Amino acid sequence: MTKAALACLLLAGCASMPPALPAGPSETVSVPAFRETEAVTSVRDAADDPAIWRNPRKPAASLIVATDKQEGLGVYDLSGKRLSNLVAGRVNNVDLRDRVMIGGKPGILVAASDRTVLGDGRLALFSLDPVTAALTELARAPITEMREPYGFCLYRAKSGLFAFVVGKDGAILQARIDTSGATPTATIVRRMKLGTQSEGCVADDRTGILYVDEEDVGIWRFDAAPDGSTTPIKVADDDGQRLFADAEGIAIAAEGKRGGYLVASSQGDSAYAVWRLPDHAYVGRFRIAAAGGVDGTSDTDGIEISTAAFGPGLEDGLMVAQDGDNAPSAQNFKLVRWPDVKRALRLR
């Protein structure tokens, strides 16, 4: 490297040059897990993806809904206790939105990709009772174009509620969800495509951007609008330094109207990579470490983050991450205080 090139790399004003990569996994900081959920009931590779519902009246009574992809869905309180368990088939990824009109009344809609019957793709739709923590099945809406729905996330736009369904072959379907009538429906409105196996996705309701993990390639973004462009734009590569294949779960830690952070599970080295929003500048990576009798995470699939207040000790947000190895118990989900992540990465 010439002296001029080296100088350019060192100068912040050299916008044409890519930012320097971190030295590697040794640069990864540690963040303590502070709590964990009860293990899922299936003993094989089963726990997969969580979603968080915040109780606006009593934040400490908020709930976590998570998939056991061999059996169904579990609902947990913030202490990690499982409050209910619903046998619902091979549901893989889950997401939720509250204030959704369900049968004429506002409610909490929980939706998941359903791959119980190969070749018979469906979306599993449920309502969540915030008092009893029970899930009630509403419908299994056919997604006939996709043999095996895999990744899944919801998107709320001014024009309605939408679901993104990601297939193992990289196909992405956008469906309009209608739960106002007696029989909820999912109508395909748009099709997109990535080149290889993909799963994790998250849609930013604030900015109208969809992020999707292509497992061995990296992270892409799309316009989430139903009439938007179907051309993907690369956000990050599986470069073996910031993000190690497989790229799995992905979540948004929202701040303000456009800001916050995009976080992805770097499953290949049991870590998490972080990019700043809205400019997608890389800011660091971390692992979830054992602390206070709670073990850390490894081989994480799904993650979820909320920056809202959840009561004493969780005033500034919560991260939930699947743990692929919770031996000697079955898999479960670990809870992390989001401010601990920001502190470890020296984020403002």
Side-chain angles (χ1 to χ4, degrees), residues 228-240:
S229 170
T230 59
T231 302
I233 298 172
K234 179 68 75 66
V235 172
D237 288 308
D238 283 2
D239 55 19

Side-chain angles (χ1 to χ4, degrees), residues 121 123 142-147 149 151-153 162-167 169-176 187-193 201 210:
L123 297 186
I143 303 290
T144 55
E145 293 183 32
M146 188 169 289
R147 286 176 51 82
F152 178 82
C153 55
F162 297 88
F164 291 100
V165 193
V166 183
D169 62 352
I172 304 167
L173 301 179
Q174 182 173 7
R176 183 183 298 275
T187 305
I188 304 299
V189 297
R190 193 166 60 135
R191 299 159 181 84
M192 296 167 282
K193 187 72 169 68
C201 72
L210 168 70

